[in-house]
Amino acid sequence: MSDFGPNFLLNSNYRSRLQTLSAVSLLLLLVGCAPGELARQEGLTLLSDAKYEEGLGKLAEAVQQGPGNAQLRKDYLSQRGLIINRLLTDAIEQRRANHADAARSLYRRVAGLDPNNDAARQGLQELDAVERHGRVLDEAEALMMKGDAAGARALLNVVLVENPAHPRAAKIRYQIEEPTLRENIAGPTLNIKGRKPLTLQFRDANLKMVLEAISRATGVNVLLDKDVRNDIKVTIFVKDTSVEETLELLLIQNQLEKRVLGENTVLIYPATAAKSKDYQDLKIRRFALGNADSKQVQTMLKTILKVKDIFVDEKTNAVMMRDTPDVVRLAEKLVASMDQAEPEVMLEIDVMQVDRTRMMTLGIDWTKSLTLSLPAGMTLLDFKNRTRADVKMTGLSVTGTASKTDGDLNDLSTPRIRVRNKEKAKILVGTRNPVVSSAATPAPVGGGSTVFNTSVTYIETGIKVEVEPNIHPNGEVAIKLNLEVSSAGAQIDTGNSGTVVFPVNTNNVTTLLQLKDGETQILGGLLQQRSDQSQTKIPGAGDLPLLGRLFGSTTDTWNKTELLLAITPHVIRNVSSEEADLAELWSGTDTRLRFGAPNLKASGGGGVMGMTGSGASTSSTPASSTAPAAANASAPAGSTPSPRFPIGPRPPLVPATTPTTAPPQDDATPASAVTPVQGTSQ
């Protein structure tokens, strides 16, 4: 029969009726549902399809339809929170992948779901700032490529003020400052490269005239403070010496200081406290400590270097100081010598307790009691008329005993512990046994009941090891050792209202030993031996010589306990061998801290021939008539002397290839007859 016959029509009619009935049932069910339930179901379906805005909109509609339904409001708030968190997480991932447009779209979706969301608002602001900073940094890089470092630095400051940790801005700033990084850290120094060494011979010459000669020969600009005295006389004989060392010689003998202003300029001023405050540059240095304690470093810097401006940041374990560059460099060396990792050692400890028990029983066990029983109903009067067979005697037995028991108990503990130098470490392998104590408070007069105060304390039993190592620089380790092996006995009830105690069997070792790295030391001899003998025998018969053993038994018990300890240190990290420049430092004089050794090195193979001077004291010898003229040659006529005395580079008085020298005159020559000899460049 064809599929499209009467049966097919019947089936079709049946299906149509069933679908109609289902639709009517669903309609009746929905009509009978609580208000908002249909919108809730639609909203959850949309959320499962990742249609977040439409789904939350349906849930919000369900809340409006059923304002008193707590379940609807709970579903709406919880689903909204989950969706917002998911979108914010996706936005962060997009920002990390440098997909700014996708992240901005996600933040805007969050703002549409929750207009008061601070995370979305802040994310959009940060994206706008990143875009703005990118444009500024592009412009800064363009200026840097053109050689306009000042303009690029100004643009970088705009970005770094808003975001000090901006990685691209920090990279560009380093590229700009890299050429001058050394000068920024070390400060300005005189450029002595290419300058030929000096050979000078002056006797009782005016200081300003000598400085002018140095300036002419080397091209170094020398500025004098207004308080440098005009009557200072110097006598100096140097050969093949650099300009910097020559200036140092002049400053040392006349109590003067210098400040380098540039590669070709130096300022000279009196070495007084007031002038040092005016001219001496100070540096700020931050020491981030990894191992040393900031308080101890502060005390060290105050004690040795007399640093006054110092601050300790205990939170980050850092120290900040402000002082002269020489003091800062000395502090760097001292802090480096203190900020070293603490030595550590690994201790291998083997604790062994050996218990040996031997027990032997030999002999004959006789019955210790006999039982005489009479037949039922018999009395003692009838006992005489009975035969011996009527009397029953029980309990008589003889047992031969011959046994031996051996027992060995080995208690082994092998802890491994890593300890820092001079720090205590403790190991416990055992139990903590409670000890209950109770105290009764009598009842008050006039009524009441007795009050019991119960307290519980704990006694540690087992294997306890306490060590404190002291690691020496040569690799040896001194160890304070405390070993205790204890065990708790059976509980004892004192009968005092629940008070319970334990007997404790204890073996202790306390010692101080010094071992090499990897050396094993065994501590033994902690031996406890006990032997007991007990006999059970029949009185009288058991005391007979030789035959007495047939009427009793003997039990021999032997117990031996031995405690052994083996300890091996392995140094993991020791004190690093201190470098020579950290172990010993030159630090200048008591009144003038300096970094570096007080030696003068000649530049051209020669050296200092001689040096004397009158210092800052007033000389009775009149200055040479040529000195004022030479000193004031650069000043225009009629001008007022400047508070600073500038000496600029001038052409040399004599050709550099034909140095003019004169031997030092005899000391007996009158000072007024001495003619200063001009210095020349070799």
Side-chain angles (χ1 to χ4, degrees), residues 309-591:
D309 300 334
I310 187 170
F311 173 77
V312 173
D313 185 3
E314 296 184 4
K315 184 177 181 180
T316 59
N317 196 33
V319 176
M320 298 182 66
M321 60 171 292
R322 181 174 182 263
D323 216 306
T324 62
D326 283 332
V327 176
V328 170
R329 294 200 64 187
L330 288 171
E332 290 175 354
K333 296 293 184 180
L334 294 177
V335 171
S337 65
M338 287 189 64
D339 192 21
Q340 296 188 12
E342 285 287 339
E344 287 187 277
V345 62
M346 174 70 76
L347 297 177
E348 296 183 0
I349 304 173
D350 295 334
V351 182
M352 294 161 283
Q353 184 175 0
V354 181
D355 291 338
R356 297 185 178 90
T357 302
R358 303 289 184 268
M359 184 177 65
M360 185 174 63
T361 303
L362 182 62
I364 299 176
D365 289 339
W366 293 83
T367 302
K368 301 180 178 62
S369 62
L370 295 177
T371 302
L372 182 62
S373 61
L374 300 177
M378 180 179 293
T379 63
L380 291 177
L381 295 177
D382 299 333
F383 178 73
K384 297 178 180 181
N385 300 325
R386 291 284 183 177
T387 61
R388 184 175 298 178
D390 295 332
V391 180
K392 295 181 180 180
M393 182 178 296
T394 60
L396 180 62
S397 64
V398 178
T399 304
T401 302
S403 65
K404 183 179 179 181
T405 303
D406 294 341
D408 292 336
L409 174 62
N410 297 326
D411 190 3
L412 176 64
S413 177
T414 58
R416 303 292 185 267
I417 184 170
R418 181 170 175 171
V419 196
R420 290 181 61 179
N421 188 35
K422 297 183 180 180
E423 297 289 342
K424 292 183 179 180
K426 180 180 179 181
I427 302 173
L428 171 63
V429 181
T431 58
R432 301 178 71 235
N433 302 282
V435 177
V436 182
S437 60
S438 179
T441 302
V445 179
S449 59
T450 303
V451 179
F452 293 92
N453 297 321
T454 303
S455 61
V456 180
T457 58
Y458 292 89
I459 297 178
E460 296 176 347
T461 59
I463 299 176
K464 291 193 295 184
V465 181
E466 294 183 2
V467 292
E468 182 179 352
N470 186 2
I471 306 172
H472 297 172
N474 61 357
E476 295 186 355
V477 183
I479 306 173
K480 291 182 180 179
L481 176 65
N482 185 13
L483 170 65
E484 178 180 324
V485 179
S486 58
S487 61
Q491 176 178 321
I492 300 176
D493 190 352
T494 62
N496 183 16
S497 301
T499 301
V500 178
V501 296
F502 291 89
V504 178
N505 302 320
T506 305
N507 295 319
N508 291 289
V509 176
T510 301
T511 184
L512 174 62
L513 63 158
Q514 186 164 335
L515 303 176
K516 295 181 180 179
D517 185 11
E519 180 183 358
T520 300
Q521 178 64 49
I522 298 178
L523 302 178
L526 302 176
L527 186 64
Q528 183 179 6
Q529 185 172 347
R530 181 180 178 181
S531 60
D532 296 330
Q533 186 182 62
S534 60
Q535 295 181 348
T536 302
K537 55 187 178 180
I538 298 175
D543 296 331
L544 295 174
L546 300 178
L547 297 178
R549 290 184 174 272
L550 299 177
F551 299 96
S553 63
T554 303
T555 301
D556 294 326
T557 303
W558 176 80
N559 180 265
K560 180 180 178 181
T561 301
E562 185 176 4
L563 182 63
L564 297 176
L565 180 139
I567 183 170
T568 305
H570 296 283
V571 177
I572 297 176
R573 181 175 55 245
N574 203 347
V575 179
S576 59
S577 57
E578 197 166 13
E579 300 177 2
D581 61 340
L582 298 181
E584 184 173 319
L585 300 172
W586 289 97
S587 61
T589 64
D590 188 44
T591 58

